[in-house]
Amino acid sequence: MNVPASRKWHFFHHQMFRAMKMTTVLLTVFCLQLSAAAFSQQYSVSEKNASLEAVLKKISVQSGYLFLFDSKQMKMAKPVTVDVRNASLDAVLQQCLAGQPFTYELINKTIVIKLKAAPARKPAPEAAVADTVKGLVTNAAGEPLPGVSVGIKGTAKGTVTDVTGRFTLRDADEGAVLVFRMIGFQPLETKAAAGSAMNIVLQAEQSKLDEVVVVGYGSQKRSDLTGSISSVKGEQLSAQAVRSPMQALTGLAPGIQVMQNSGEPGGALSVRVRGGNSLIGGNEPMYVIDGFPVTGSLESLNPSDIQTIEVLKDASATAIYGSRGANGVVLVTTKKGRSGRTEVVYDGYYGFQQVTKKVDMLNAQEFAALANVRAKNDNEAPFFTDAEIAAFGNGTDWQYEIFRTAPIQNHSLAVSGGNDKTRFNISASYFDQAGIIINSYFNRAQVRAAIEHNISDKWKVSFNNIMSRTKSNFLFSNNTERGAGVLSGALIVPPTVGVYNADGTYSNVRKYPFSPDIAENPVAMALERKNTMARNELLTNVFLEGKLLPDLVFRTSVGIQYANSRTDAYSPTIFQPSAKGSASIGYSENMNLVNENTLTYNKTFNKDHSLTVLAGLTAEKNKTQNLTASASGFLTNTLENNSLQSGSTPGIPQSNSNEYAILSGLSRVNYGYKGKYLLTASLRADGSSRFGKANRWGYFPSAAIAWRVSEEPFWQGLKDVVNDLKLRGSWGITGNTAVSPFQSLAILSSVQTVLDESLYIGFAPGTVRPNPELKWETTRQIDAGIDIGLFGSRVNVGIDFYSKQTNDLLSSVPVHASTGYSSTIRNLGTVQNKGIDISVQSNIFGEGDFTWDLGANFSMNRNKVITLSGGTDIFGETLGNTLPAMSLVREGYPIGVFYGYVENGLNANGQIVYQDLDKNGVINGLDRTIIGDPNPDFIIGLNSRMRYKQFDLNILVTSIQGVDLLNYNLSNVADGFSFGINQMRDVLGNYWTAENPDPNAKYPKISKTTRYLGSDRHIEDASYVRVKNIQLSYTLKSDVKLIRGGSQVYLAVQNPFTFTRYSFYTPEINTRGSGISKGIDQFGYPDARSLMLGLKIRL
Amino acid sequence: MKPNILFILAFSIFFTACSKFLDEVPVDRLATENFYKNADDARSAVNAIYQPFRAGIFRGPYFLQVEIMADYAEGRGSTSIIGEYKGLDVVNITRVASIWDGLYRAVRNANIAIENIPGVPAMGEADKNALLAEARFLRALAYYHLVRHWGRVPLYLSTQTASSPRKPEEEVYNAIYDDLKYAEANLPPKGAQYGRPGVGAAKSLMAEVYLTQGKWELARDKADEVITSGAFSLVNIAKADDWNNVFGPTVNGTPEEVFYIKFNQLDGWEWPHNLLWSETTFSPFGNYVIYSTLDNKFLNAWDPQDLRKQWDIFTEYINRKTGVLEQLPAPTPVLFSKWRDPAAPTLTGHGNDYPLLRYADVLLIYAEAAVMAEGTPSAKALEQLNKIHRRAYGHPWNAPSAADYPATGWSKESFRDAVLQERAYELFMEGKRWLDLKRSGKVKTVIKANKGKDVQDVHMYWPIPQQEIDTNPDISQADQNTGY
């Protein structure tokens, strides 16, 4: 794509020559720092038949003056022949412009070349004179902007602002729409107002390369980065109907996988940056909000308060966070106030959600008929007579009974503004999501304030405060089985039973002798059990920043993160396991105190050598305390759990207390030569209280280099095509403290027993064998990256290759229970993650009424266990009663591969035959093999933004390919009816019968003696392509009465389409969360499809 | 500039001052180094042995596994496969694995106590020995359950043993005898609380272990020592409801109590809810996992006049809400009511105790061991059998009655069968029947006769947990019990 010469704009400077395209033909210049070098007073120019442009360029180089001209007008220039020696600038210019239709004007260091005044026009009619529009254009800081194009929309008429930023437009009809454009600023449309002077403020639009990127303990220009960092803008997050900003990140940044454990409102998320390194749950990235490291995630943040999110991926970027950087670091910058006119923004949506899919289960007649098939196969009398079966009809659709169309809404109101000294941004928001399963919900109310004040020219103080309250009601759903939870109940209880008895009480769903003994009425479980959690969180911090020397900045911060949460549970008298009510209250408090102190020295030597040195000390202390009280034996449900003393039997209160501390020193050097050769090196030392004294301190170095090839002289010829090319390489070590406090100590815990009729206390070790030799888990990462900007940064490509190796992997390892312990924590081996992240952002149509931005992200990660100490396999956790642990860590394979038996059809009795892999004639544990991999081959994200005039269509598509899920649900709902629970309709006609003994039938014999083991039957390909979000918006371009331009109304659909072969609700599920046992769907709360109407009003 | 440098220096000093900043002091747990310092610590180390025993094993899952295998019960839902005698499925394999884990945790806690108590300062030798005896009694109890259900099992007699292969059953039994002999020699005549073993408990358990191994004389003599000690007696029963004085939720320390696993409503028993149904007056809870059928030959042969049958099983009940007499639903027509706690606060909160060793058991051990040792039933052996039998019909236990067995006409086998049958009635739902059938070699014939089912060999032992095979370097897949 070559840009026609006529559409280029130019400015000349004694040090620079740049060619960039612009949408208007007007040439403008925006502030560049001029060197303080002295300008020569005498100039010599000698040219023959040269273009005026070329001559002016030479003068610019000699003089250091900037030239400002319209390149379209420049076509009117005649060739220049000039020969002056040691003349003044004035004389030189006079010579050059002799005979040209131009004149010039010198303003400060800028020379504006303009057309000579046109001959006097015919006198304008009276009315037209009245239509003269005047005004002043400034930037957000209130500084006047010269050279801004002011056009009348739909006409060729227009003008340019003068040096003082003022413009005058004749012939503008009252009500005409004026368009203000300037490179580096967002275009603005507004109605012309005749008479009074208009005040126009243009907002800066940063070019990709000059964009400032937040990095650990500082910020850098994107062009100066040496590390691998993905940035996502707040506006890309806020339009999605999600609770947590992290949920919206899926598909927007390469190398990041965001998995929701389930679709439950308020349910946990697991986030993986470049795959998981660690085995014991320490795979979540570290979160830093406005420079403040937080414990936990971003749950208390409203997505619309976010300015940007930066995800630090390679070790060069994360090593400054040392012991917590191994899983990547997510830096969140919240919106700040800007000086200028106070802005009030309402941003909100309201919508509805529905389950994306239902699982097709047997109806009552089919269920009863299948029960009779089982009875017949087991030589038992039929459970149901033909007449009973005929009377059942369709029976109860339990899924219909628990699912609902649920509202979701979010409202936020923000006020921001300020002046030169003080800037503020204050907001309040409310998010409310009702779950698609009855009685589940999550809501969050939050207020936030960010205030910044310049104490003096040198000192600045800022205060950030977020207070939030969240409340949710969780259903007992995930990771249950055989009807013990709401969803498993809805799927497995007999459709022949109604929800209620005739008297309005809940029906007994264990009606038949074959009914599972732990099943409960799912509607009763959802509606009548209370399991709420209310959490208050305060995140507050104060920064003081000052210049000790002109180039030395000191910054100190104190932050407090305080959270308390209360869980309230009550199980009323209607349930079998608690025919008397049982209640509990849990209370926990967490306090995290952080103090960080840094010194930053930043100086450019001899114009070419830029140096930034950072040094700092930080300290962090965290304390958690819990208290739980319970009681049971309530005779009435009225009091619920609000009066524990009303229960006849008090429970034993439980309390515990945890504490840890981290003390760190950090340092970093950034060096750049001519902005071409960039070097970063950092070192952090962390001391953690979680480790034994001998292994307490860990040291985390990193180094990175980058070469901006496109800044080399030899590249200049290629700049029209490849305007930016940067090669990066980095190496570094990061750590992981993912061990619970006190695990290195031999600890005795209290246990109780009964003697006589009283409780007695004993002390014994827990089930985890202590290990005093625990040490840091460290991750060594190398990264090679390339950043390419094509066609004037119209297409930006970033490619990173990385290889991470995690040593001394900390893992919870099962031990033989005959020792009396069930597991231990060990440093046990090495895991490798290798992969590629690619991101492409392109501006396919950049101009005119229709614009189209298209972006794609591609990530590929290969995880492999290199060594395990002793070479012994590690098994995941036991999942439930119907399937054993099927996750495995084995040398040479990815973490958490599925391990089980391979099926080989059915035998003559309709029972599953397993392959005798070791050929010893017996099917036992040795016949298990690796049968699936929950680690995806590829993750792909596509985002498209099409704009036509004021309409804006955003589409986000995500896809995960080559991933397996363990569909635990099949061991319940497709188990040959062996547990007497309802089956998927797919079973009908597909099961083995004596009449048609098909060895390849999909399902075995319907019988209570039908057995199965954890096999490939339960592993499914869960690759999917999902259209995650479609949003259509209409944006007000210019002010209308009170409402400012930029106000917006939109319609959005979340999860409208999913293409997958996965047979259950959703392939985006991971009910066991982090750890080895991943990629498991054990009756996970399904996710929702939602439709929302949103509104953003700027006042 | 200078003040700023001072400022930074101040921070450095702050950090130096906090050199203890990173020292970890757990405040809610005890560290091993500071424990085992006095008699209270030693006693709490022994108390800790009881917890895994009770919590994961005798509270619930153990009985599902052993009672559904008895010839009078069926399992509902996921437990039904236990009563099919074809080996366990994955659900029940997981359940027996948790029993394995719990028993070995009790062994570990016992080993910790046994190793640490001798070093406790300021404690008399006799007190130490009594506590050691208690720990060794409990360790023997754990191994006794392990060896009968799994056969050859790993043997840990010290915490220093990192791993152990499956040891021959004889070696495990020898360890059990060692522990019990020590316990017998050092336990007090009576435990400090009910729930702790006294000498009688050690002797009774030893008698049962001898019986299991067919060491008839030893079993007979040990049982006799318990009987002649006079420390125990039976409770008289006049009507069925009097069983509440033996098995009721608030009963503590009856003369029959030799060694019980103790429960109260605060830390109660889960097992009864697996038998009952919440509509009945027996308990507000009920999962009725275990039931029986109307055609069960064992139950049908049981004399309805036997007060134990009247107390132990029911087919109709008074609905606790309506007060109306109702028939049990057709699918589960017979349920078991031996363990009743109408005031149980939670399903795991039944206050009844589990009678692991009851005097009635000791009397029947004597009767069986004596006839096996002597070839014909002695008067003394017959009297022990009659004590049990006549009480069940409402007669005073220690005086001849109309309900007594005939004095003559016995063969060794017929008398033993009568004792085994009496055990089945008397120790109904106490977890003994399956093991009695197994040790007497009658499993296959009796199950076939009463339930019409064939017991496959695989069903005779429980599988070694897969985790044990996967992680114990001394056990390989080839060591698994046959059929798994």
Side-chain angles (χ1 to χ4, degrees), chain B residues 211-463:
Chain B
L211 187 77
T212 300
Q213 284 215 298
K215 298 182 174 175
W216 310 117
E217 289 88 355
L218 289 168
R220 177 196 62 194
D221 296 347
K222 215 34 99 178
D224 194 38
E225 284 177 36
V226 179
I227 294 166
T228 53
S229 74
F232 308 98
S233 67
L234 294 179
V235 174
N236 273 324
I237 302 294
K239 55 185 189 301
D241 282 352
D242 289 347
W243 288 113
N244 208 35
N245 301 329
V246 180
F247 304 119
T250 56
V251 170
N252 182 40
T254 73
E256 289 189 54
E257 180 168 346
V258 178
F259 181 75
Y260 288 8
I261 307 264
K262 305 295 282 186
F263 294 95
N264 64 17
Q265 291 182 342
L266 208 51
D267 187 2
W269 207 11
E270 185 182 352
W271 166 239
H273 102 277
N274 287 320
L275 304 172
L276 293 167
W277 192 18
S278 58
E279 282 187 11
T280 70
T281 52
F282 304 135
S283 164
F285 304 96
N287 214 3
Y288 54 104
V289 177
I290 295 202
Y291 69 101
S292 194
T293 55
L294 293 169
D295 59 357
N296 183 282
K297 294 198 174 66
F298 178 101
L299 295 181
N300 289 339
W302 197 351
D303 182 358
Q305 297 308 309
D306 189 331
L307 296 176
R308 296 172 298 196
K309 186 180 186 185
Q310 291 171 21
W311 177 258
D312 289 355
I313 70 174
F314 68 105
T315 56
E316 53 188 22
Y317 63 97
I318 293 166
N319 188 304
R320 64 192 288 130
K321 287 180 192 148
T322 61
V324 174
L325 187 72
E326 290 180 15
Q327 206 68 30
L328 282 170
T332 55
V334 184
L335 293 176
F336 305 113
S337 48
K338 184 166 187 173
W339 308 110
R340 308 175 181 184
D341 185 355
T346 62
L347 86 168
T348 57
H350 293 80
N352 318 70
D353 296 333
Y354 166 52
L356 196 65
L357 292 169
R358 189 152 66 85
Y359 188 53
D361 193 354
V362 180
L363 298 179
L364 293 171
I365 290 171
Y366 181 90
E368 184 183 351
V371 77
M372 294 307 283
E374 296 153 11
T376 51
S378 63
K380 190 173 176 183
L382 183 62
E383 175 59 12
Q384 308 314 327
L385 179 63
N386 277 331
K387 283 177 187 170
I388 301 302
H389 194 68
R390 61 174 78 110
R391 175 175 77 154
Y393 283 81
H395 303 292
W397 64 274
N398 53 0
S401 79
D404 285 10
Y405 280 103
T408 55
W410 297 105
S411 71
K412 177 179 163 188
E413 280 313 314
S414 69
F415 188 80
R416 189 190 191 198
D417 284 345
V419 176
L420 284 173
Q421 195 59 47
E422 199 66 41
R423 281 180 69 86
Y425 294 145
E426 179 66 25
L427 307 175
F428 191 76
M429 286 293 146
E430 292 182 32
K432 305 261 179 179
R433 177 63 170 169
W434 165 258
L435 290 163
D436 278 346
L437 293 175
K438 193 169 148 181
R439 68 174 166 80
S440 61
K442 294 177 191 292
V443 162
K444 294 192 180 186
T445 50
V446 171
I447 301 287
K448 182 75 180 171
N450 286 336
K451 280 167 111 178
K453 286 174 182 162
D454 291 310
V455 180
Q456 295 181 4
D457 288 339
V458 61
H459 214 66
M460 299 301 283
Y461 287 104
W462 290 340

Side-chain angles (χ1 to χ4, degrees), chain A residues 459 482 508 510-517 548-549 554 556 576-580 595 597 599 617-621 632-633 648-652 655-659 661-663 687-690 693 696-697 741-742 744-749 751-767 814-822 872 875 878 880-884 922-926 928 979 1008-1009 1011-1012, chain B residues 1 4 7-8 11-12 14-15 18 21-33 35-36 44-45 47-48 50-51 54 76-81 84 86-91 94-95 100-101 104-105 108-109 112 154 156 161-164 192-196 249-252 262-267 277-278 284-289 291 331-332 342-347 351 353 466-468 470-473 477-478 484:
Chain A
W459 289 87
R482 294 186 294 130
N508 174 16
R510 309 176 198 172
K511 195 171 175 184
Y512 308 114
F514 54 77
S515 297
D517 41 38
L548 302 183
L549 294 170
F554 172 70
T556 181
Q576 288 279 0
S578 56
K580 285 181 181 173
N595 169 244
N597 313 284
L599 275 172
L617 287 172
T618 73
E620 185 170 337
K621 191 118 194 164
S632 56
S648 61
T649 312
I652 293 161
S655 71
N656 55 62
S657 173
N658 270 335
E659 224 175 336
I662 301 174
L663 197 60
S688 169
S689 64
R690 300 188 206 205
K693 270 194 171 156
R696 180 164 284 172
W697 284 89
F742 311 139
S744 63
L745 299 175
I747 294 288
L748 301 173
S749 304
V751 295
Q752 68 210 20
T753 188
V754 174
L755 297 166
D756 282 344
E757 291 293 318
S758 312
L759 288 176
Y760 283 76
I761 299 300
F763 279 95
T767 58
V815 297
H816 39 296
S818 57
T819 56
Y821 295 95
S822 58
T872 4
F875 289 84
T878 300
N881 276 340
T882 57
L883 281 185
V922 198
I923 298 299
N924 61 23
L926 294 176
R928 291 175 296 171
F979 287 123
K1008 70 174 169 186
T1009 57
R1011 292 311 165 80
Y1012 55 87
Chain B
M1 169 93 201
N4 291 324
F7 195 41
I8 294 156
F11 271 108
S12 318
F14 166 74
F15 280 113
C18 296
F21 192 73
L22 297 177
D23 283 341
E24 204 164 61
V25 188
V27 291
D28 60 345
R29 277 151 282 194
L30 295 167
T32 313
E33 294 77 16
F35 204 64
Y36 312 117
S44 71
N47 289 349
Y50 291 87
Q51 190 265 345
R54 304 166 67 249
R76 203 172 57 75
S78 64
T79 62
S80 65
I81 200 74
E84 298 296 323
K86 292 174 177 171
L88 298 179
D89 66 345
V90 62
V91 175
T94 313
R95 287 183 181 137
W100 169 283
D101 294 357
Y104 274 108
R105 196 153 299 137
R108 177 200 70 178
N109 290 356
I112 290 172
Y156 296 80
T161 310
S163 63
S164 162
Q193 289 89 26
Y194 285 104
R196 293 194 199 274
T250 56
V251 170
N252 182 40
K262 305 295 282 186
F263 294 95
N264 64 17
Q265 291 182 342
L266 208 51
D267 187 2
W277 192 18
S278 58
F285 304 96
N287 214 3
Y288 54 104
V289 177
Y291 69 101
T332 55
T346 62
L347 86 168
D353 296 333
Q466 195 62 44
Q467 177 173 324
E468 184 72 28
D470 290 337
T471 54
N472 187 334
Q477 196 68 51
Y484 286 102

Side-chain angles (χ1 to χ4, degrees), chain A residues 173-190:
Chain A
D173 295 331
E174 175 76 36
V177 175
L178 302 187
V179 184
F180 297 84
R181 288 179 193 275
M182 185 168 180
I183 286 295
F185 290 86
Q186 295 166 10
L188 181 76
E189 290 185 15
T190 188

